[in-house]
Amino acid sequence: MTESNRELVILGVGSAPFDALLEILEERNTVTPAQLKLVVGDEVEADPQVFANRSIAVTPLDEFTFSADQVLLLLSGGDTASAAVTKAEEAGAWVVDAAGISRGDDSVALIHPLLNAAALQTVERRVVAVPGAGAAMIAEALYPLKSQLKSVDVVLNQPVSALGKASVDAAAAQTARLFNGQEPEADEVTGQRLAFNHLSSAEALLESGHSVSELALVLELRRLLGESIAFDATINTASVFHGQLANLSAQLENPVELSKVRGLLTNGARLEMRERPSAQDAVGSENTLVGRLRSGLLGPAWVNFCAASDNLRKDVAINCVQIVHLLLKTH
């Protein structure tokens, strides 16, 4: 089967990263319009989508037939995604889960294209997962220090788009109402106001006080960086549409001069040093911005710094496209 005969099937039309993904696919010529297929749940109605100046039809899942020469990319979860995975696996297709439906399944390899793409050669199943946007960014930022990390405390400030397209629309509507002197309705997903607010948690808390997303972030970081590293994580939601920023407090195995840490971060893949990174600066960039590097006050082996990135374009769309490219080209 030649690469030109391979197809990319996307489930997740209208999801938060969908538009960015189509832009990257077109910019990098990863697939042609003829190679792109779009599917939706049987109960969903979706208009044709434009890709590379061509109209791409959207097909209900129950009318779509998978084959072994395809890669299925999941951008949205739920029962439809689970059904699509079953059909794709039965047909021998590859599945790339960017929706988190395989989280906790050890038979599904977690692949970050910059950090462990070689693992695609030895996976148990033809189903792989892409780390969440927060984990992808933080793992990149910490990777140059991986061999020296003992523990890391993460505070991730995620944007509204991390909650999904519905929350982006809700935040926009709330902003418009506030500017017009009207009281906005609470977001249905979080039960709170998203516009001009900063949420300590966007979801219900477990008995431990953590959220499911925080524990998932810890799990993914340990899978990417090593089970011996201790992690704790806090995820709050900032009142911005796109762009994420994490404050990282890392305890190293031994004290290291700050100049050496700076050198390691400066040479890290897809890392760009800035004096004061911001989420706004990161939007549109294909790099993770790192900065505010300083010695921690908890002890001589602690270092603090922050990382910022474009959560949709860079940490979902580009990572997905890189993995899809590898699968279409060599698998």
Side-chain angles (χ1 to χ4, degrees), residues 41-328:
D42 304 334
E43 72 289 351
V44 177
E45 294 184 6
D47 294 328
Q49 303 293 304
V50 176
F51 174 70
N53 295 319
R54 293 276 298 277
S55 179
I56 309 297
V58 181
T59 306
L61 180 62
D62 66 348
E63 300 177 11
F64 189 84
T65 301
F66 285 96
S67 64
D69 59 339
Q70 294 171 335
V71 175
L72 168 64
L73 173 59
L74 303 176
L75 296 180
S76 58
D79 293 340
T80 300
S82 298
V85 172
T86 299
K87 294 180 67 172
E89 272 203 283
E90 289 175 349
W94 279 93
V95 178
V96 179
D97 175 19
I101 71 166
S102 61
R103 184 175 294 136
D105 186 343
D106 291 337
S107 71
V108 176
L110 184 67
I111 304 295
H112 190 303
L114 285 187
L115 307 185
N116 65 340
L120 287 172
Q121 304 290 340
T122 58
V123 296
E124 297 179 24
R125 297 167 58 188
R126 292 168 73 91
V127 181
V128 298
V130 179
M137 174 190 72
I138 294 165
E140 282 185 29
L142 291 172
Y143 194 77
L145 308 177
K146 176 183 174 181
S147 64
Q148 303 175 60
L149 289 176
K150 184 176 181 180
S151 66
V152 183
D153 185 35
V154 175
V155 179
L156 173 62
N157 300 282
Q158 69 179 9
V160 171
S161 56
L163 305 178
K165 181 65 164 55
S167 291
V168 173
D169 293 341
Q174 290 172 3
T175 300
R177 289 184 65 87
L178 286 167
F179 278 143
N180 284 284
Q182 300 172 324
E183 185 62 28
E185 297 180 357
D187 172 46
E188 292 183 359
V189 175
T190 64
Q192 302 186 64
R193 197 181 83 192
L194 297 174
F196 302 100
N197 200 1
H198 200 146
L199 309 184
S200 61
S201 176
E203 58 191 273
L205 302 179
L206 304 172
E207 187 175 347
S208 67
H210 289 86
S211 68
V212 170
S213 294
E214 289 165 348
L215 297 184
L217 174 59
V218 168
L219 174 65
E220 291 188 338
L221 289 174
R222 294 187 69 183
R223 291 186 69 184
L224 290 170
L225 297 174
E227 295 292 335
S228 64
I229 303 170
F231 287 96
D232 198 357
T234 300
I235 301 177
N236 51 52
T237 303
S239 185
V240 296
F241 289 107
H242 308 295
Q244 60 184 351
L245 185 146
N247 293 298
L248 307 173
S249 184
Q251 183 185 24
L252 307 180
E253 292 288 353
N254 299 290
V256 178
E257 292 184 5
L258 208 59
S259 59
K260 182 176 180 180
V261 175
R262 185 181 300 276
L264 291 170
L265 294 176
T266 300
N267 292 321
R270 212 160 67 177
L271 299 184
E272 180 181 339
M273 292 294 297
R274 294 283 185 92
E275 181 180 2
R276 294 187 297 166
S278 74
Q280 180 183 356
D281 291 339
V283 171
S285 173
E286 297 190 6
N287 293 329
T288 291
L289 310 183
V290 293
R292 288 214 66 206
L293 177 64
R294 58 206 185 276
S295 298
L297 301 181
L298 296 178
W302 288 84
V303 294
N304 299 331
F305 63 102
C306 72
S309 69
D310 188 324
N311 60 303
L312 295 184
R313 178 180 172 85
K314 173 188 164 293
D315 295 305
V316 178
I318 289 179
N319 284 351
C320 285
V321 169
Q322 289 179 326
I323 293 172
V324 165
H325 173 74
L326 289 173
L327 295 177
L328 291 175

Side-chain angles (χ1 to χ4, degrees), residues 21-27 29-34 36 38 49-56:
L21 182 82
L22 290 190
E23 289 177 5
I24 299 299
L25 287 170
E26 183 174 354
E27 288 174 7
N29 297 312
T30 306
V31 293
T32 65
L36 180 63
L38 304 176
Q49 303 293 304
V50 176
F51 174 70
N53 295 319
R54 293 276 298 277
S55 179
I56 309 297

